[in-house]
Amino acid sequence: MMPSLAIPLAGFLFLVLPTEGLCYGCAVTEEERPQLIFLLNKVISSEDTRTGLNPSILIALRLARNHNRNVEENLLQRLSQDAVSHAKESYSSGKVALSIMAQLASCVNPRNVSSSGSTINLVRLLEQKYQDELQNLKKYQAPLTSFYQLSLDVLALCLAEGNFSTAEAANLLKPDKDKKKYYLGNFSVDTAAVSILAQVCLKNKTLTPKVRHNIAKSVKWLVQQILNHSHDEVLGNLYSTGLAMQALTVSGIQWNCRESLKMILDQIHKGTFNLPMAASQIIPSLEGRTYLNVTGLNCSADKDDLDIITTTPSPPTSPPPRICVNYTVSAKVKTFINGTIPVHVPQGSSLFDVMTVAQDKNWNIFRFTYENSSWGPYITSVQGLMADNNQRTYWQLLSGNIPLDRGETLEKRDKMNWQGALGK
Ligand code: B12
Ligand SMILES: *[C@@H]1O[C@H](CO)[C@@H](O)[C@H](O)[C@H]1NC(C)=O
Ligand SMILES: *[C@@H]1O[C@H](CO)[C@@H](O)[C@H](O)[C@H]1NC(C)=O
Ligand SMILES: *[C@@H]1O[C@H](CO)[C@@H](O)[C@H](O)[C@H]1NC(C)=O
Ligand SMILES: *[C@@H]1O[C@H](CO)[C@@H](O)[C@H](O)[C@H]1NC(C)=O
Ligand SMILES: *[C@@H]1O[C@H](CO)[C@@H](O)[C@H](O)[C@H]1NC(C)=O
Ligand SMILES: *[C@@H]1O[C@H](CO)[C@@H](O)[C@H](O)[C@H]1NC(C)=O
Ligand SMILES: *[C@@H]1O[C@H](CO)[C@@H](O)[C@H](O)[C@H]1NC(C)=O
Ligand SMILES: *[C@@H]1O[C@H](CO)[C@@H](O)[C@H](O)[C@H]1NC(C)=O
Ligand SMILES: *[C@@H]1O[C@H](CO)[C@@H](O)[C@H](O)[C@H]1NC(C)=O
Ligand SMILES: *[C@@H]1O[C@H](CO)[C@@H](O)[C@H](O)[C@H]1NC(C)=O
């Protein structure tokens, strides 16, 4: 029960009962809920959820108010099994952090995750991986992974009450003099959002007044930056809006939450969030919840009211028209041979498909490697030239000169020049 406010006025007693929606962010209304359920149905029916190992998806399903217990329990078991067998060697720090949050949200103690007779303490593991990140940062002025993952680390350590220095963490996330850590070429709204969530969590820990003051200052600056990188209701871009909504909510500022929420709902039917990973980052905001809520859930009160939808494969229609794309690779490296090639692919293909066709046509110039990531295939090298985190280089995907905001699907846009460039 939340405290209610009693105001005696001219002999009457006014009782103002705070309702959740008014005090804390915003959420879908009952009329809007079918649109959220449509998205949740898609997520639980997807291959990524039913056979994949993505903790972000479980966090989102747990923070939703509608559930499919079978799907969630099955995913939890597979994640736990994977964690006991692979977390130590092959998880990045941020993946351990997300795993901890998925366990917390499932009412499992992350210090005691067990599967087939083995047990792992994920909090202890994160304490170690976080120290490794800090050491790399000292040595190379870059974390092993990214400031996004460092922010996830602090958030998870804070939520799971791990053993770490809260003052050091606050200092780490403070946007420093040139604010470099929040740039990966450009300001990252996603990173700023997770960093705000972590710092608001830290604020509830024992800290000196000075550290507390610094956190408030950092959060304020980051909120301002997020708003500066926003156009109307889109905070950053479509894929950062969900995380940014969480951040603005916990920062306590006044902003037009409903407008962002309505914009997201409109995008659902356009297929913008069809990728379960993309859906997982907007679902909490649609429920008026944030990653800070993974600790307060009552799992035994879950409803079991979500169905898996079996989509009948659409009958073979006439094959989509083919489109022509100019694909270019370039890098400012002596040994690298720049190359352009026209590629014919069916409309609706992805950039990855284009790269595959180009590679088949000319392996010497267009060969590439990739990793399967939560967002799909992540390009790691082209022509043998590797991205390198310590050098802070990566393969940037451009259409013309504009960085793509997703591993994009090709539509009927004719003048498309796809480019891979090694960016810094
Ligand atoms: C850090 C980051 C990067 C880093 C990754 C390397 C590093 N040092 O960590 C860099 C700057 C290189 C990067 C590049 C790109 N990114 Co990026 N990135 C992120 C960010 C901020 C955090 C990812 C993370 O660490 N997650 C936590 C860890 C634990 O999970 P993970 O699954 O192991 O994370 C890996 C993948 O996310 C992968 N990855 C990162 N970006 C992308 C993008 C795509 C399309 C794919 C398939 C994989 C991928 O790298 C991570 C580390 O290994 C997310 C934000 C978000 N909301 O998720 C954006 C985000 C995932 N990136 C995005 C985009 C668009 C890109 C680029 C395509 C930009 C471009 N035009 O070139 C390129 C991908 C190029 C390529 N080589 O394939 C979008 C994806 C949207 C979508 N619908 O597909 C996001 C959501 C940002 C946004 N709001 O627009 N990214
Ligand atoms: C850890 O979990 C297992 C099974 O889930 C349980 O039997 C055991 O008592 C737990 N240990 C601790 C220390 O909580
Ligand atoms: C916490 O970490 C510090 C240093 O990293 C260590 O000295 C201390 O023993 C740890 N405390 C616990 C309870 O593990
Ligand atoms: C940074 O953003 C500006 C404006 O959107 C853009 O012109 C520039 O190419 C971006 N730089 C990088 C490295 O992505
Ligand atoms: C702060 O933490 C305490 C427990 O340590 C918890 O009871 C309280 O709800 C938290 N407050 C906020 C605002 O999260
Ligand atoms: C946000 O943008 C405005 C105008 O574009 C600028 O005056 C202000 O300094 C920016 N704020 C921050 C924190 O960068
Ligand atoms: C989420 O957590 C915040 C505090 O961090 C709390 O005030 C709020 O009531 C929680 N919301 C839900 C729906 O649990
Ligand atoms: C959790 O939900 C169950 C079932 O609705 C209820 O009996 C129990 O009291 C709840 N526990 C807490 C801590 O709220
Ligand atoms: C390859 O393209 C890059 C620009 O993307 C340019 O800087 C470089 O000079 C080009 N290399 C050659 C050999 O033309
Ligand atoms: C990525 O996943 C696809 C399909 O699940 C698989 O065919 C492919 O071999 C995987 N690629 C890598 C590099 O792991
Ligand atoms: C691809 O490049 C060729 C030659 O540079 C040009 O004639 C053609 O219009 C380009 N096609 C597209 C779709 O941009």
Side-chain angles (χ1 to χ4, degrees), residues 51-52 122 166 331 364 402:
T51 60
L122 287 176
T166 48
N364 223 11
I402 300 164

Side-chain angles (χ1 to χ4, degrees), residues 54 56 92-96 98 144-149 152 184 188 190-191 237-241 243 272 275 277-278 281 371 373-380 387 389 393-398 402-408:
N54 185 341
S56 297
S92 64
S93 67
K95 183 146 186 210
V96 178
L98 289 168
L144 280 170
T145 57
S146 61
F147 268 93
Y148 183 92
Q149 295 202 35
L152 283 177
L184 280 164
S188 163
D190 309 72
T191 304
N237 65 21
L238 289 173
Y239 299 103
S240 52
T241 298
L243 293 175
T272 307
L275 193 67
M277 182 61 194
Q281 293 192 344
E371 276 165 17
S373 79
S374 53
W375 288 94
Y378 176 77
I379 310 306
T380 47
N389 210 42
T393 56
Y394 70 100
W395 282 96
Q396 189 178 37
L397 314 180
L398 308 170
I402 300 164
L404 296 175
D405 69 359
R406 60 172 120 173
E408 204 150 324

Side-chain angles (χ1 to χ4, degrees), residues 58 72-80 102-103 106 108:
L58 184 55
E72 288 176 15
E73 271 161 30
N74 184 283
L75 179 53
L76 175 63
Q77 271 177 28
R78 276 182 291 114
L79 288 174
S80 302
Q103 297 285 341
S106 306
V108 177

Side-chain angles (χ1 to χ4, degrees), residues 2 20 23-24 63 65 200 204 250 287-297:
M2 302 189 79
E20 195 182 80
C23 293
Y24 191 79
L63 287 175
R65 279 162 221 268
V200 170
N204 194 22
V250 301
E287 290 285 21
R289 283 180 165 154
T290 77
Y291 285 167
L292 299 189
N293 289 113
V294 294
T295 51
L297 301 173

